[in-house]
Amino acid sequence: MKILITGGCGFLGSNMVKKIFNETSDKIVVVDNLSTGFKSNIEPLLCERVEFYELDICNSDIINCIKDWEIDYIYNFACPASPKYYLKHPIETWESSVFGIKNLLDAIKGTNIKLFHSSTSEVYGDAQTIPQNEEYWGNVNPIGVRACYDEGKRAAEALIYDYIREYNIDVRVARLFNTYGPNMSIEDGRIISNFVTQALTGKNITVHGNGMQTRSFCYVDDTINAIYKLMHLEKNPKKPVNIGNPQEKTVKEVALYVKDVLKSNSEIVYCEKMSDDPQKRRPNIERAKQLLDWEPMISYDAGMKKTIIYFSDKLK
Ligand code: UDP
């Protein structure tokens, strides 16, 4: 089989490259525009079986490339996913969310290529229901600063299900809840990468707002295993699947945990709250459990310890 991984130099994409490289004999084509991904994440794996092309999925050349490369499966991870980045680059975020997926959908129209698309818990916005299940329609500020990502990903889902209804193509969609682990970038700006690197370097641990907002953290290997299972389910469920770990933590709890486990002298400081920041996020994963016979296996403590080792090595 020949697998295309778009956004394959990013955090999730490079972890999928690693899994497919280690566990199959498939050929892999990695495409990335290197806006937030790093070629170094896949460099050790580049060989006859793993090729890399610097290309943006918004560029319609990707449509012919997919035909020329004779691809069987596509995993789409191409999109900036960190608020720090997408708040600075909203238009680019829109483009990769919407124009990028449209190119991939046009490429697979009339073929048997299967496409996985990574959507996000951000489609639920500042959810009014806890935990969030897939039937919830969300609570998103459509003109706010996060809309480039939230509405971009919602538009992508709308487009995907229109293409499925109109062209009967095989696209599978997961809504990913906060994932963390190796291959996150130090500069990424998200909570785990910030708090761990701040605690390791003795800088202030920067809690936004009062720290009572929550997230539920899933270790990357669990997320990647679920995505792989979803892609290989015999029958397309034709509905999005939440993938995450329901262990819910407040931001303050994460700060205290990181400071404690690293015995860090860093101070926990409280700064300005992010605009439109979702206050409570926890996935209902019943659909994933039933469809995929999957549930997260790696505890918060075990996952955080592996992540701390990764960042400590990286900072050296
Ligand atoms: N956050 C924080 N300090 C940081 C980075 C993030 O308090 O240095 C908070 C952020 O405001 C949000 C939560 O942590 O409430 C998760 O943020 P992240 O950027 O990791 O991901 P999100 O789930 O918002 O996309």
Side-chain angles (χ1 to χ4, degrees), residues 12 176 179 218-228 243 294:
L12 291 174
L176 309 179
T179 309
C218 192
Y219 188 68
V220 63
D221 290 358
D222 281 328
T223 303
I224 292 294
N225 286 340
I227 293 171
Y228 191 82
I243 294 178
W294 167 91

Side-chain angles (χ1 to χ4, degrees), residues 2 29 53 61-71 113:
K2 201 161 181 191
V29 180
Y53 296 92
D61 287 352
I62 189 80
I63 299 175
N64 285 330
C65 288
I66 289 171
K67 304 236 151 85
D68 293 347
W69 292 331
E70 299 182 341
I71 294 296
I113 303 172

